[in-house]
Amino acid sequence: MKSMKLLALVAAIILAALIPVLLPDQPYIVNTLTLTLCAIIPAIGLNLLYGQAGLLSLGHMAFTGVGGYTAALLMKNAGWALPEAMLAAAIVAGFAGLLVGIPCLRLRSHFFVIVTLGVGMILYTFFNNLDGITGGAQGLPGVPRPRPLSIGDFTIEFRTPRGFYWLALLTMLGTLFVQWLIARSPFGFSLDAIRQDETMAASRGVDVFAHKLAVFVISSAIAGVGGALSVTFLRVAAPTMFDLHASMNVVAIVLVGGPGYLAGPILGAFIFIALPEFLRVAAEFRLIVFGFVLVFIALFANRGLLGLADSVWSKMKRDRMADEAPGATRTVKSEG
Amino acid sequence: MLAFAEQGMNGLMMGAIYALFALGMVLIYGVMHVLNFSHGVLFMAGAYVCQVIFAQLTGNYFVAILGSMLVLALVGCLLEKGIFQHLRGSLSMQIVASMGLIMIVQNSIIYFFGPLALHMRVETVESKIRLGPLSFTAQHFVIIGVALVAVVSLDLFLRHTRLGTALRATSQNLEAARVVGVNPDSIFLMTFALATALAALAGALLGPLFLISPAMGDLPLLKGLTAIVLGGMGSVPGAIVGGFLIGVLEAQATLVLPTDYRDAVVFAALIGILLFRPYGLFGKRERGEP
């Protein structure tokens, strides 16, 4: 079973990596998929925060913005290369998460949720108005594309849609790996405990506040990486990329995909970003239908689509076991 | 000093709008423990329905307001029966459903009325009222007056009628209310209808003063959420005080800071207050919380 899962994962990665080669004259599809990959990264950050630790942030894209502006400034004005700028984006966004987390994480349930909304709004106001640093409403255009990477004679070009797609895929897989590592670490188990019952976790010796703060910082740092990737792809850092609509979208990506599932953000981002792009109908009509889909998910799939698939799967398994069970009892009886 | 007084009046007016808006949200939260993030588009829809009734049917602004409240109350009943009744206790799914509703309502409005903002030509906006050196539109006074009447009559309703008492009982303890013969389903339905009617009232009041547009509910939603958190999640007087505080604060903030920072000031104040009162101004710790 485990090796089957690994095999499926490797096959999925190879297939994802081959898409630009299989579709050589479809730059539109490749670009849309790259945009989706960029959106998955902050969603992975939020999935750690909400799916793992049960903390819902409605202003998470603000940290993506902090990372995005950091990377844009460093690459545009200081001539940094993407990897260093991405690291700096993660550090600065993580630090912003620390500053926000210390006061806000002391608040409970709904208070925390709404305050994160406020934090998102405050940071957006700064992005939109600090003209000297962020370029105000126009943002920072002209973020350079990453330089080509040369290993011996072999050169990988990141300026083409295909090259950037691979870069985005690699970055996304990297953050996915971090999410996987955290989920199966003692730290991740403590976060699970906090999500399920905070008081119980505290009584078992988990330092609840320190754990929450740590996951908030990590999640903000991951969001910052996503920001660095997005601004390099779009070649601009603009306030509307990181406003409350963007934050609500990333929340929807996580909730619709399936919070707490490793692949949840991936499925969610495909449904939210790639699917509407590919199903081009009249704009308003498409969004109205999409709204009905969301209501449907809220009513019938309260653990997201992966959660729905999971419960259907385990119900099928239970039914099969129930079918086999009478036979099993008979054998025991005949032996007795 | 003049600017101070003028902004004080503007603050009171916006505070009245926020209070009406927050009152609806807090009723739903208090009774059903549902945070309805789609309250903003219901506010917006209220303004549009009012405009349609005003311009196409009657031409009487106050009749149009009542009509808009009635229509939105019906919409509220549908939403409660069809959606929110089933989502009690799941904050994340309330958010997903609300996002869906926001998409449905906002894009339907764009589909039928176009994306551009509309003017609502009510005479109370044109006529000016002078107070010494200050001059305000009559609409300023209409908003504050109607909001006060609405708040006072809601208070009387909640405290002195059987239905109001049943509603308060349900919000305090659902099981106990059921035991003494309150039917929670009908109370939930009434709460939602009342709350959406209040949102429509706020939208219909503010509509003529500014333009009405598909996005006009976004900021009131944020301010309304801030007001009920500031007031203490579930406290009716808290929501009213919170709404007025925010209105006055943001109006005065524009005197000191550039207008663009107005919303940031409100949220910074919220965070500051919660640092000292983590359960809001009128909030109590919920049962089971340390």
Side-chain angles (χ1 to χ4, degrees):
Chain A
M1 192 62 202
K2 197 145 195 190
S3 58
M4 281 289 281
K5 264 189 180 167
L6 194 68
L7 206 67
L9 181 71
V10 172
I13 292 173
I14 291 175
L15 186 70
L18 282 180
I19 282 175
V21 185
L22 295 175
L23 304 166
D25 38 328
Q26 298 278 2
Y28 171 70
I29 293 183
V30 174
N31 273 340
T32 305
L33 290 177
T34 311
L35 217 55
T36 312
L37 288 169
C38 291
I40 292 173
I41 298 174
I44 288 177
L46 189 68
N47 194 30
L48 264 178
L49 195 63
Y50 178 68
Q52 198 88 35
L55 294 165
L56 189 54
S57 165
L58 297 185
H60 212 59
M61 282 304 273
F63 297 107
T64 312
V66 171
Y69 277 103
T70 306
L73 284 170
L74 288 172
M75 292 174 74
K76 207 169 111 94
N77 299 344
W80 285 36
L82 181 65
E84 289 93 328
M86 209 176 245
L87 189 67
I91 292 171
V92 175
F95 186 68
L98 186 73
L99 288 184
V100 169
I102 289 174
C104 296
L105 285 167
R106 297 193 183 279
L107 301 171
R108 289 270 173 168
S109 59
H110 292 75
F111 290 93
F112 175 77
V113 173
I114 310 255
V115 161
T116 55
L117 199 73
V119 168
M121 189 79 199
I122 291 174
L123 285 174
Y124 167 76
T125 309
F126 285 138
F127 297 152
N128 205 16
N129 291 298
L130 291 178
D131 294 20
I133 305 169
T134 63
Q138 276 100 47
L140 296 170
V143 179
R145 277 285 165 91
R147 299 174 197 130
L149 179 73
S150 299
I151 310 164
D153 293 336
F154 190 66
T155 309
I156 308 174
E157 177 64 72
F158 293 117
R159 277 172 291 197
T160 59
R162 185 191 286 195
F164 201 94
Y165 172 83
W166 281 323
L167 179 71
L169 184 65
L170 204 67
T171 317
M172 192 281 282
L173 288 174
T175 45
L176 196 66
F177 182 64
V178 171
Q179 188 193 357
W180 179 75
L181 276 183
I182 291 176
R184 63 193 292 276
S185 69
F187 174 65
F189 294 141
S190 301
L191 293 181
D192 282 333
I194 291 173
R195 185 189 71 236
Q196 279 155 19
D197 190 338
E198 207 172 303
T199 323
M200 174 74 102
S203 71
R204 291 297 182 90
V206 174
D207 184 343
V208 171
F209 183 73
H211 275 74
K212 281 185 178 177
L213 191 60
V215 75
F216 198 74
V217 169
I218 295 171
S219 148
S220 307
I222 292 177
V225 170
L229 192 71
S230 304
V231 299
T232 335
F233 177 59
L234 297 172
R235 310 206 53 195
V236 62
T240 48
M241 290 160 68
F242 313 114
D243 63 3
L244 288 178
H245 284 282
S247 285
M248 291 309 276
N249 272 341
V250 77
V251 168
I253 285 174
V254 171
L255 293 178
V256 167
Y261 291 90
L262 275 181
I266 301 177
L267 180 66
F270 265 94
I271 290 177
F272 249 79
I273 299 183
L275 205 61
E277 276 299 320
F278 294 144
L279 303 174
R280 279 220 165 270
V281 211
E284 287 101 43
F285 191 68
R286 182 184 65 183
L287 288 170
I288 292 172
V289 172
F290 212 62
F292 279 108
V293 172
L294 283 183
V295 171
F296 180 84
I297 287 174
L299 287 174
F300 301 107
N302 59 3
R303 286 189 304 142
L305 290 176
L306 285 178
L308 184 70
D310 211 10
S311 48
V312 169
W313 173 249
S314 52
K315 187 178 180 314
M316 272 163 57
K317 224 158 68 178
R318 253 203 323 276
D319 288 351
R320 209 179 321 142
M321 272 160 73
D323 287 344
E324 285 163 10
T329 4
R330 256 199 310 278
T331 347
V332 174
K333 266 183 190 161
S334 65
E335 274 170 7
Chain B
M1 199 54 212
L2 264 180
F4 183 76
E6 203 172 272
Q7 285 304 320
M9 185 70 182
N10 282 332
L12 273 184
M13 179 198 76
M14 283 314 288
I17 297 285
Y18 294 153
L20 285 181
F21 189 93
L23 209 50
M25 292 196 85
V26 89
L27 279 176
I28 295 177
Y29 181 80
V31 174
M32 297 176 69
H33 271 248
V34 163
L35 256 184
N36 176 17
F37 287 85
S38 63
H39 211 63
V41 291
L42 299 174
F43 165 91
M44 179 267 288
Y48 273 92
V49 173
C50 180
Q51 155 76 6
V52 169
I53 298 177
F54 173 69
Q56 320 261 328
L57 296 176
T58 66
N60 183 324
Y61 180 47
F62 293 95
V63 174
I65 292 181
L66 283 178
S68 163
M69 288 172 74
L70 206 66
V71 171
L72 265 287
L74 281 174
V75 172
C77 289
L78 288 177
L79 295 184
E80 196 274 340
K81 272 284 168 228
I83 302 172
F84 286 102
Q85 193 188 45
H86 311 286
L87 301 178
R88 294 169 49 226
S90 169
L91 176 65
S92 51
M93 286 308 118
Q94 290 158 19
I95 292 177
V96 173
S98 300
M99 281 195 65
L101 282 176
I102 291 171
M103 283 182 170
I104 296 169
V105 178
Q106 223 159 32
N107 290 291
S108 307
I109 290 283
I110 294 175
Y111 187 78
F112 287 113
F113 295 89
L116 297 178
L118 301 179
H119 253 306
M120 208 164 148
R121 301 191 189 284
V122 174
E123 58 263 44
T124 43
V125 178
E126 311 299 334
S127 52
K128 297 267 191 266
I129 291 180
R130 297 203 147 268
L131 283 181
L134 297 168
S135 132
F136 301 101
T137 70
Q139 184 70 7
H140 276 74
F141 294 94
V142 169
I143 290 178
I144 295 174
V146 172
L148 278 179
V149 170
V151 167
V152 170
S153 38
L154 186 74
D155 180 66
L156 290 176
F157 166 73
L158 285 179
R159 285 196 298 152
H160 297 288
T161 62
R162 276 186 69 87
L163 261 179
T165 313
L167 191 147
R168 282 189 300 132
T170 315
S171 84
Q172 276 162 16
N173 191 329
L174 181 63
E175 286 314 310
R178 214 195 291 263
V179 167
V180 295
V182 173
N183 177 3
D185 285 341
S186 57
I187 295 293
F188 290 163
L189 199 64
M190 186 186 74
T191 307
F192 233 92
L194 203 59
T196 44
L198 284 170
L201 175 62
L205 284 174
L206 194 64
L209 206 55
F210 300 137
L211 297 168
I212 58 176
S213 71
M216 70 183 278
D218 294 1
L219 273 180
L221 173 68
L222 291 174
K223 302 291 164 60
L225 281 168
T226 312
I228 65 175
V229 169
L230 195 61
M233 284 317 298
S235 154
V236 168
I240 298 169
V241 172
F244 274 102
L245 263 182
I246 289 168
V248 172
L249 177 72
E250 68 171 15
Q252 299 300 341
T254 53
L255 292 178
V256 211
L257 282 166
T259 334
D260 299 318
Y261 287 94
R262 187 181 59 194
D263 305 324
V265 168
V266 170
F267 289 114
L270 171 74
I271 296 173
I273 290 172
L274 287 182
L275 283 182
F276 297 100
R277 287 199 60 93
Y279 292 90
L281 293 175
F282 293 71
K284 291 184 290 282
R285 292 180 177 196
E286 282 179 31
R287 274 186 308 161
E289 283 193 60

